[in-house]
Amino acid sequence: MQIIDGKAVAARVLEECRDGVAELAAKGVQPGLAVVLVGEDPASRAYVASKEKTCLDLGMHSVKHELPAATTQEQLLAVVRELNADPAVHGILVQSPPPPQIDEAAVVRAIDPAKDVDGFHPENVAKLALEDPSGFAPCTPLGCQRLLGEYGIETRGAHAVVVGRSMIVGKPMALLLMAKGPLGDATVTVAHSRTADLAAVCRSADILIAAVGRPGFLGDEHVREGAVVIDVGINRVEDPARKRGYRLVGDVDYAAVAERCRAITPVPGGVGPMTIAMLMSNTLRACRQQMG
Ligand code: GUN
């Protein structure tokens, strides 16, 4: 059994980004990323802070907007328009999920698709489905795909089962794995909360990708001997033994399945660090594309 070290792979991706930033700096260009957070959700705040820190560490320009929970749709759209027009900003990310008064789909559509480094804009979703490499794919599934590649896990002809059908992870993950090419060519099944006999479907997976957002949702009965398990879940569960009062667990019951896996991502330290690394990579490419 191999533990897939997302921290180590993310560090390599970030070093590539650092080189890319230096190359652009020599031409007088600094890639810029803007992150927008509405509200006080602690997990979202932590992600946004971490994105800003990574940006600055790589020598990128960072813009952070932390807006109050009561921000209106129009106020948020005004911020997005300002960032669209700002030539120092090449990538824009609005942290999801926003508070309920916000129409998230409308906000995503307002982002300039060329700056949509999250890959959530309909134009980028279409480009992903069309296998047009000029678009941006969402960072978390991109990170999962990169992990498979770095560990030499063959996707061609493999049966990949994606559990979860979100626009952030499940759907784009399925599109990436079924696309033509070296990190694709998989046979993909997308399972979700209405899937009949989920355990049997999951047991037929060579590569099982868990993206449901429920702690320990997939266990022993979902994983076959020799499967590769990619656990996208980052769930906070109460833990009075910890100083901060919680610990992070994945969607997979790691202790129950790890031994029989060929390879598995831990939580934390698996997919998590990859999301930010791929965000930086997308931002760098956005900058290059905008420079022509
Ligand atoms: N919330 C959870 N993951 C993501 C992500 O990749 N991008 C954004 N914008 N929000 C998220």
Side-chain angles (χ1 to χ4, degrees):
M1 192 272 289
Q2 190 168 32
I3 297 174
I4 297 176
D5 187 347
K7 250 177 110 168
V9 176
R12 290 207 288 280
V13 173
L14 291 175
E15 283 320 301
E16 288 168 19
C17 292
R18 194 185 300 281
D19 294 345
V21 171
E23 228 169 80
L24 286 166
K27 296 177 187 159
V29 176
Q30 186 185 31
L33 173 67
V35 294
V36 183
L37 171 66
V38 185
E40 316 285 329
D41 178 69
S44 289
R45 285 184 80 98
Y47 293 143
V48 165
S50 169
K51 285 162 185 170
E52 183 188 35
K53 183 173 174 290
T54 308
C55 235
L56 295 173
D57 179 61
L58 293 180
M60 292 190 189
H61 174 58
S62 172
V63 178
K64 186 168 74 171
H65 288 271
E66 290 186 300
L67 308 175
T71 301
T72 65
Q73 178 79 4
E74 204 34 60
Q75 286 167 332
L76 180 54
L77 288 174
V79 170
V80 168
R81 285 188 211 107
E82 179 196 314
L83 294 169
N84 281 343
D86 184 344
V89 168
H90 306 96
I92 301 171
L93 176 150
V94 179
Q95 187 64 32
S96 182
Q101 77 276 15
I102 300 294
D103 176 354
E104 187 174 13
V107 173
V108 165
R109 281 195 301 275
I111 296 172
D112 178 348
K115 296 189 178 187
D116 169 39
V117 288
D118 256 334
F120 295 169
H121 189 286
E123 188 173 309
N124 284 316
V125 177
K127 283 182 172 178
L128 177 57
L130 293 164
E131 300 184 31
D132 175 343
S134 72
F136 295 100
C139 304
T140 300
L142 268 185
C144 296
Q145 190 184 39
R146 178 78 182 244
L147 286 177
L148 294 172
E150 294 280 327
Y151 278 79
I153 293 156
E154 180 69 83
T155 53
R156 170 183 282 177
H159 184 206
V161 174
V162 179
V163 189
R165 54 181 157 178
S166 72
M167 292 305 297
I168 296 187
V169 186
K171 251 182 236 178
M173 185 79 257
L175 288 169
L176 286 170
L177 289 169
M178 76 173 82
K180 293 174 202 73
L183 298 173
D185 287 334
T187 303
V188 179
T189 299
V190 180
H192 47 77
S193 51
R194 305 281 179 210
T195 295
D197 202 354
L198 180 66
V201 172
C202 291
R203 276 199 307 274
S204 71
D206 303 307
I207 300 171
L208 181 63
I209 309 218
V212 287
R214 291 215 247 158
F217 184 66
L218 301 182
D220 206 29
E221 70 279 23
H222 298 92
V223 179
R224 83 159 171 226
E225 184 80 37
V228 172
V229 173
I230 305 291
D231 189 351
V232 181
I234 303 179
N235 307 292
R236 290 183 177 201
V237 299
E238 261 188 62
D239 186 347
R242 305 283 173 109
K243 202 158 54 183
R244 56 187 181 180
Y246 67 88
R247 69 194 147 86
L248 296 178
V249 301
D251 292 345
V252 176
D253 183 350
Y254 186 91
V257 311
E259 270 318 309
R260 53 218 280 224
C261 294
R262 174 181 153 201
I264 183 167
T265 59
V267 177
V271 174
M274 291 301 294
T275 296
I276 290 186
M278 301 319 288
L279 174 66
M280 299 302 143
S281 164
N282 272 356
T283 302
L284 195 59
R285 185 157 63 83
C287 177
R288 289 193 182 113
Q289 287 179 192
Q290 283 159 55
M291 292 299 126

